[in-house]
Amino acid sequence: MSTPVKLYVYDLSNGMAKQLSQQLTGRQIDGIWHTSVVVFGKEVFYGQGINTTAPGAYVNVSQQHGAPMQIIDIGETALDEDTFDEYVMEMKDHYTADKYHLLDFNCNSFTNDVVGFLTGGSIPDFIKDLPTDFLSTPFGAALRPTIDAMYRRPSPSAPTPPVPSPTPAAEAAPNPQLAAQLLQAIASQAASSTAVEPNAATQTIAAPIHAITNPASFSNFLKNHRASVAFFTSATCPPCRMIEPVFERLAEEKGTKSDGTGAGFAKIDIDVGLGSSLASQWNVRATPTFIFFLDGKKLDELKGANANELRSQVDLLFFQAFPPHPHTSLSLPAVQALSLNPILFTQVPVIDTVLSKLSSFIDSSPWPSLIPQTPAQVKQALAGTVSPYLKARFSTPLPAKLVSASPDILTSWSQATSTLASALPTPSLFPLVDLWRLAILDPAVGTWAASAHAPFNPISLFIAKATTALQSPDPSANPRNYLLTTLRLLSNAFATPALAHALFVSARTALAAVVVPSLLHTDGAVRTAAASLAFNVAAFLQKGRVDKVKGNAVNVFEDDEWEVEMASAVVEALDREVSSEEVVHRLTASLAFLLRLSPAYDTQVSPLLEVLQARDVLKRKLAKGGCGEEGVVKKDVRRLVEEVANKLCP
């Protein structure tokens, strides 16, 4: 007779993640999931060790996580209740409170094991994948050390460290105040579930190691990792205890990163749960035994406690699973000498002159009757709020303590901007854009713009208008001054990391729609600004790739189609640019950053470069007439052009 198995799904954040995640991470996360298994008339979950209650009693007594957000039918089990109770008793020695970790060894790890034991299945992916999704965001990556510190187990002789405040990590978020609010709520929930003294007998369980107790969970583990290392051990095995610290260090160093690289490390105690069945399945007859997997298939195995051989086998597995990019072996001194800092347009105009120009446009334009703000109200916001801030922030000489834009200033200004965008023709908006171009250099403004929503986000508003103007077949609809100031504004947006990330991840297609046609503009200043923006975008991409090669846990957010489009546009712009060495320099640097370390270099980028004859295009810039009468003159620019042509272009 079969018995139904259900999964109760709770939200540790009590709805806060759904409300705030888009602002904090740039990604919608609907909950911080806590799960329990309901079977045989009881609810079983992991927190302060393994707990068993009547279904719903956990909610009614503790009120920790509220009612279940979902109740999911997992399937049915053919096992009897006595067998299940025996399994849970065995797992209590394994899932102890001191081993709990919010990301790596938590209630969902336990329910996945239990579901695997009962049904041979697993819990839903949206629950299992939440830690990876969260850590793939800059906010998640910044928060990881704080979470690890909260759950780090001290040695038995060391004093218990205080739980750190999550507020410093929250500063990595676009909205630190909201971040701190969410973190404090989750930290409080987690602490209330797990704050007990460490159990010295289980000090060796490390967060990056997956504890596996049954074949179904192991099968899921192999499916979720390109490279995997399985450590078969036993509590009664002295050599296992000797080698385990080495295994844990390797898991810390080589474990799965937020970008999907890294290996999965699993520990299987053959005396726990169905560990003996798993050992039999893989012909493990002695402990310790290490088995190495690539794409779920066994590559090799190691028997015994040989630390040097274990390290060598893990390194070999890594090389096969994640071979180094061929560009890492190239000598590229000119490319490596390029700064990855963004090109910024920091010129400070006479604020009163710019405002006077904008006011004249307001006075001369018919004002739509349906717009809620009057011209007088808009001009008052600009003169009474925006102007004093800009003059204080960007005065000459700079003040000893820089003034930052307050939320009230930004709210008033963004509302006025939305009004003007609706009331004025696009060509008349360039003074307004130029004021934002200056203000976006203020980190407070850049951070605010990273999370501001339409229609009050000036960045998205100005991008949309520039795109519309560039797509118009009427040349008069393509206002030079508006396009120039918008390109400079977008270049300055890369001064703030949070805004640069938001643009690159969420708006890169829109950026391409502006920068690609602008690279071919007839006006030299527009082409220079477009080349600067192309450089900033490519430099942001390159920095992520370099960090990844160095082993840092970053998600580069690669997009092969976008990179091909950008590379094609840059090559075409280089081919047409015959007058400005500065533009050639920035375009060549942009191309280098787009090409170097590209995952799609061999499959898509290199064939494209051959079709475009990119090497010949670059070399023509060095010849007479290719860029000015004598070609590229500056030695450092010539070296860069030659290096990109000869080493990065086929």
Side-chain angles (χ1 to χ4, degrees), residues 46-76:
Y46 172 48
Q48 291 186 349
I50 296 176
N51 298 271
T52 302
T53 69
Y58 172 54
V59 177
N60 295 331
V61 172
S62 72
Q63 290 296 328
Q64 276 187 303
H65 310 311
M69 294 280 292
Q70 297 182 57
I71 297 178
I72 301 174
D73 290 323
I74 293 297
E76 296 184 337

Side-chain angles (χ1 to χ4, degrees), residues 539-604:
F540 185 89
L541 175 63
Q542 180 70 188
K543 186 179 186 302
R545 289 173 176 171
V546 171
D547 286 345
K548 183 177 179 180
V549 168
K550 290 180 178 178
N552 298 326
V554 296
N555 191 329
V556 186
F557 299 100
E558 299 279 2
D559 183 333
D560 297 349
E561 292 184 4
W562 177 87
E563 291 165 22
V564 165
E565 179 187 8
M566 286 294 296
S568 178
V570 169
V571 172
E572 183 179 1
L574 274 166
D575 193 26
R576 296 193 186 187
E577 186 59 56
V578 294
S579 59
S580 173
E581 185 168 322
E582 181 181 17
V583 172
V584 168
H585 189 189
R586 296 180 185 188
L587 289 174
T588 305
S590 303
L591 184 62
F593 288 159
L594 290 168
L595 303 184
R596 183 175 179 239
L597 303 174
S598 169
Y601 182 84
D602 289 332
T603 57
Q604 296 187 52

Side-chain angles (χ1 to χ4, degrees), residues 330-339 596 643:
L330 291 179
S331 174
L332 298 168
V335 174
Q336 290 175 302
L338 291 169
S339 171
R596 183 175 179 239
E643 189 170 279

Side-chain angles (χ1 to χ4, degrees), residues 353-365 379 424 431:
T353 302
V354 178
L355 284 173
S356 175
K357 186 70 173 177
L358 183 56
S359 294
S360 70
F361 288 143
I362 294 174
D363 293 337
S364 62
S365 297
K379 288 196 286 186
L424 300 184

Side-chain angles (χ1 to χ4, degrees), residues 206 209 243-255 311:
I209 298 175
I243 195 67
E244 189 162 3
V246 178
F247 182 73
E248 290 180 352
R249 282 195 295 274
L250 286 169
E252 291 281 0
E253 297 167 5
K254 308 282 190 178
R311 292 190 186 95

Side-chain angles (χ1 to χ4, degrees), residues 26 138 174 446 449-451 496-508 511 540:
S451 58
T496 302
L499 182 53
H501 174 266
L503 286 173
F504 188 81
V505 173
S506 304
R508 80 175 90 184
L511 284 178
F540 185 89

Side-chain angles (χ1 to χ4, degrees), residues 371 416-426 429 432 455 461-462 465:
I371 291 181
T417 297
S418 179
T419 297
L420 289 172
S422 300
L424 300 184
T426 299
L429 291 173
L432 177 65
L461 190 155
F462 294 144
K465 286 194 168 291

Side-chain angles (χ1 to χ4, degrees), residues 307 317 374 448 455 518 525:
L317 174 65
T374 66
W448 167 83
S518 299

